[in-house]
Amino acid sequence: MFTAAQRVTVVPPGPPTQPRISLAAVRASRAVLDGGWWPRSRDPVAELPGLILALNERYGPIRQMMLNSSTWNGHFRRLAVGTRVVRAGWFSTVDPGMLIATTERGDQIDLLVVPPEATTATAAIAMATAADPTNQLRAPAILAASRTAPTAERSEGVDPGTVWDNEGGHSAREPSRRHVPAEPANTS
């Protein structure tokens, strides 16, 4: 239940931050996600306006967003962004690694949310995987795989130029192109 204070439209106190986001070049019908977002904090008033403006630019006006209720510090029902108001829904059933936005046309945009405390390498791998139109992994699998993926940061004493992925040519210096293996199918 929302209190009277939470029902008012929240107006961010300052200008929106530039979001750290990676979106798929095209919307693929078989893709699980449309991209990834790496917020700097768990403060939705500070983080969401910049993201909403970026999504508005790409997909058209955003009407509402659904987020996990336990992942964010503070909840509100409406957020003023520019001249528009975006509704927010907070649900315990939304995956903590997801944000679901809906446009005015009714299009749904599913984004991976990389935890703010993630390392740069982990976030880059996760966001690139989420923005890959051929990706079939869901948010929890992407986050788990990106935390365990080898990176130049973790390979002390190894020349990153000599580390190659299974696609035969992308160096470890380009984490946004790293291949993240799919999870094996459950056959039981």
Side-chain angles (χ1 to χ4, degrees):
M1 199 82 196
F2 286 94
T3 66
Q6 291 168 319
R7 291 183 191 278
V8 301
T9 299
V10 173
V11 178
T17 59
Q18 183 66 33
R20 299 181 294 189
I21 188 170
S22 179
L23 299 172
V26 295
R27 293 196 75 192
S29 61
R30 302 184 110 197
V32 176
L33 299 165
D34 297 301
W37 173 51
W38 185 25
R40 290 171 178 82
S41 72
R42 295 190 184 279
D43 177 3
V45 176
E47 300 296 336
L48 290 176
L51 174 66
I52 291 167
L53 290 173
L55 294 177
N56 283 347
E57 212 172 283
R58 178 73 181 272
Y59 300 107
I62 299 299
R63 178 181 67 213
Q64 67 184 30
M65 300 187 120
M66 293 189 295
L67 304 106
N68 179 278
S69 56
S70 63
T71 306
W72 296 92
N73 300 334
H75 303 138
F76 48 81
R77 295 287 299 250
R78 292 179 287 280
L79 178 67
V81 181
T83 60
R84 304 184 52 79
V85 174
V86 177
R87 291 175 126 348
W90 306 93
F91 304 94
S92 61
T93 54
V94 172
D95 186 296
M98 288 284 302
L99 176 145
I100 303 164
T102 306
T103 67
E104 287 290 335
R105 293 186 313 257
D107 296 330
Q108 181 174 312
I109 303 158
D110 297 330
L111 295 178
L112 170 78
V113 178
V114 179
E117 60 276 2
T119 66
T120 301
T122 297
I125 292 167
M127 290 193 311
T129 302
D132 181 348
T134 63
N135 171 53
Q136 298 274 321
L137 296 175
R138 301 213 178 274
I142 291 172
L143 291 172
S146 64
R147 284 187 199 110
T148 60
T151 66
E153 285 180 9
R154 295 187 191 133
S155 305
E156 291 181 22
V158 176
D159 177 11
T162 63
V163 180
W164 297 88
D165 72 7
N166 65 358
E167 291 179 7
H170 301 292
S171 77
R173 292 176 202 237
E174 302 177 72
S176 63
R177 297 179 149 202
R178 183 171 306 286
H179 174 73
V180 178
E183 292 182 350
N186 186 358
T187 57
S188 48

